[in-house]
Amino acid sequence: MNKISLIGAGNIGTVLAYNLSRKQIGPITMVDVVEGLAKGKCLDLSQSLPIENLNIKIEGTTDISAINDSAVIIITAGIARKPGMSRDDLIETNFSIMNEIGKAIKKFSPSSFVICVTNPLDAMVWSLREISGIQPNMISGMAGILDSARFRFFLSQELNISVESVQTMVLGGHGDTMVPLLDLTSVGGIPIKKFIEKSNIKKEKLEQIVERTRNGGGEVVSLMKNSSAFYSPACSAVEMLESYLYDQKKILPCSAFLNGEYGVKGLFVGVPVIIGKKGIEKIIELDLSNQSKKEFQKSVEAVEQLVKKCKKLLV
Ligand code: TXD
């Protein structure tokens, strides 16, 4: 059975559990340290099943050993940003949580495909792999799908075209230095540069959309005050889970372990990957423009600084 474990029963974990329960992919186990939180949410969610003639086992607990033998583990455990906080401000608290969870994965579910969502994303997924010992192809961070979706949404709004017709790829670290690739942005298969040439959109407007994408998370936090985004992150993590469990071999922008690709060694950074039944089956190396190469390198350096902090925190 495709047992799915969700570590973290907060905003994103809750949406994940609801989304996955409707798809009836496999039994769901939700774990949270707050007494009664996962248990209560899973009891409530289970009671929604008869209404929609759904039949899936959903259990909540505070006992991390319940993740045993999971097919997929999605980690959202950790603190989220408050207004004025950067993702980097979360590093100490969330590293200690990744330390605890990484040890549990190593002990109870070492063969799972692990999807990390917790911020600062690229440093947290690096820490999880270091501590859990999971093979690099079986662990990834969710960020690029979300950032690309934000870009697609903003551009579709500007052009008054369906989001389904807007494609793009956002690479690099999940932070202010992320790299929306305009060279890979197309609308109905037409390169966005053609839209600029025909004055359907001004270059300056496109650059504003790039900046709005970079600040996409912060914009939501500033509106909601006490929480960060959760619907779009949850849906993004589900796309990674389904590509793995159903061997869909989708090309997705995910934080993946680079071992020389893009000139990077030993870091998790957002790049295009193929996800199938063997996990991260391939890392796709793009020929980046000189401008994108510079931006990507700057983003890698930002990730490197955070990982240096995590290396100091490793016991
Ligand atoms: O694109 C992305 N990757 C980001 C990720 C998009 C949005 C949010 N991003 C980050 O995800 C955010 O900055 C946080 O670090 C995580 C989770 O966000 P969420 O909004 O779900 O946070 P909540 O609502 O605070 O939920 C976190 C839960 C909460 O219930 C805690 O009690 C629980 O995590 N928690 C734990 N569960 C299990 N085990 C441990 N050790 C633990 N510690 C806290």
Side-chain angles (χ1 to χ4, degrees):
M1 283 293 279
N2 290 327
K3 175 179 175 180
I4 301 165
S5 287
L6 308 176
I7 306 180
N11 288 329
I12 301 177
T14 303
V15 178
L16 276 170
Y18 178 79
N19 185 319
L20 291 165
S21 69
R22 269 50 202 164
K23 294 173 181 279
Q24 299 186 95
I25 296 173
I28 299 168
T29 296
M30 182 183 256
V31 180
D32 201 292
V33 287
V34 173
E35 191 60 44
L37 185 66
K39 199 164 193 158
K41 288 189 174 181
C42 289
L43 180 60
D44 176 19
L45 188 55
S46 300
Q47 292 161 3
S48 76
L49 301 177
I51 301 161
E52 296 179 29
N53 293 317
L54 298 168
N55 182 16
I56 197 82
K57 193 174 172 199
I58 308 169
E59 289 187 318
T61 177
T62 55
D63 178 5
I64 190 81
S65 68
I67 67 170
N68 66 302
D69 304 326
S70 298
V72 180
I73 299 175
I74 303 180
I75 294 125
T76 65
I79 61 169
R81 286 193 281 171
K82 297 278 186 291
M85 284 176 81
S86 78
R87 294 178 180 92
D88 304 358
D89 293 334
L90 309 173
I91 196 162
E92 277 81 11
T93 304
N94 286 350
F95 174 86
S96 67
I97 294 169
M98 293 305 106
N99 191 28
E100 187 186 322
I101 292 170
K103 288 173 182 166
I105 291 172
K106 186 170 190 169
K107 184 175 178 185
F108 300 112
S109 200
S111 306
S112 310
F113 182 60
V114 176
I115 299 169
C116 179
V117 175
T118 304
N119 270 331
L121 188 270
D122 306 282
M124 291 301 102
V125 63
W126 178 90
S127 304
L128 260 183
R129 196 198 80 81
E130 281 295 307
I131 296 154
S132 67
I134 293 269
Q135 288 306 308
N137 65 303
M138 290 296 283
I139 181 168
S140 183
M142 185 298 290
I145 297 171
L146 168 60
D147 297 326
S148 301
R150 285 172 169 158
F151 188 93
R152 291 172 63 193
F153 171 70
F154 295 144
L155 189 53
S156 74
Q157 295 288 291
E158 179 61 25
L159 294 173
N160 192 25
I161 287 174
S162 166
V163 288
E164 295 164 289
S165 301
V166 180
Q167 296 302 327
T168 191
M169 186 78 75
V170 176
L171 306 188
H174 181 53
D176 300 342
T177 61
M178 66 177 78
V179 188
L181 289 180
L182 296 183
D183 294 354
L184 291 190
T185 301
S186 62
V187 181
I190 305 159
I192 191 64
K193 290 200 166 113
K194 294 287 182 199
F195 279 70
I196 297 171
E197 284 165 14
K198 295 188 182 309
S199 304
N200 299 115
I201 185 171
K202 291 193 182 328
K203 194 169 180 342
E204 296 70 33
K205 187 64 190 173
L206 201 52
E207 284 159 3
Q208 283 170 15
I209 288 173
V210 166
E211 279 316 303
R212 191 178 178 194
T213 303
R214 287 199 171 108
N215 187 46
E219 182 180 359
V220 171
V221 170
S222 66
L223 288 165
M224 297 210 287
K225 304 290 187 280
N226 294 320
S227 63
S228 50
F230 44 83
Y231 292 114
S232 47
C235 294
S236 303
V238 169
E239 182 167 32
M240 293 170 72
L241 174 146
E242 289 183 314
S243 196
Y244 170 70
L245 285 180
Y246 297 143
D247 191 26
Q248 291 174 339
K249 298 199 190 307
K250 280 190 174 180
I251 294 178
L252 299 167
C254 300
S255 186
F257 186 77
L258 300 183
N259 189 23
E261 300 87 349
Y262 291 90
V264 179
K265 221 170 165 57
L267 292 176
F268 280 79
V269 181
V271 292
V273 299
I274 294 174
I275 298 183
K277 64 184 176 189
K278 292 180 183 156
I280 305 291
E281 297 188 346
K282 185 173 173 51
I283 289 171
I284 296 170
E285 291 209 71
L286 301 169
D287 291 330
L288 299 177
S289 67
N290 289 335
Q291 177 63 23
S292 296
K293 271 183 194 150
K294 269 193 286 186
E295 291 175 359
F296 183 79
Q297 189 47 43
K298 186 180 167 201
S299 197
V300 168
E301 285 157 13
V303 171
E304 204 158 25
Q305 290 311 308
L306 290 174
V307 169
K308 277 182 183 161
K309 290 181 181 175
C310 293
K311 283 179 178 173
K312 289 183 184 143
L313 294 167
L314 271 175
V315 286

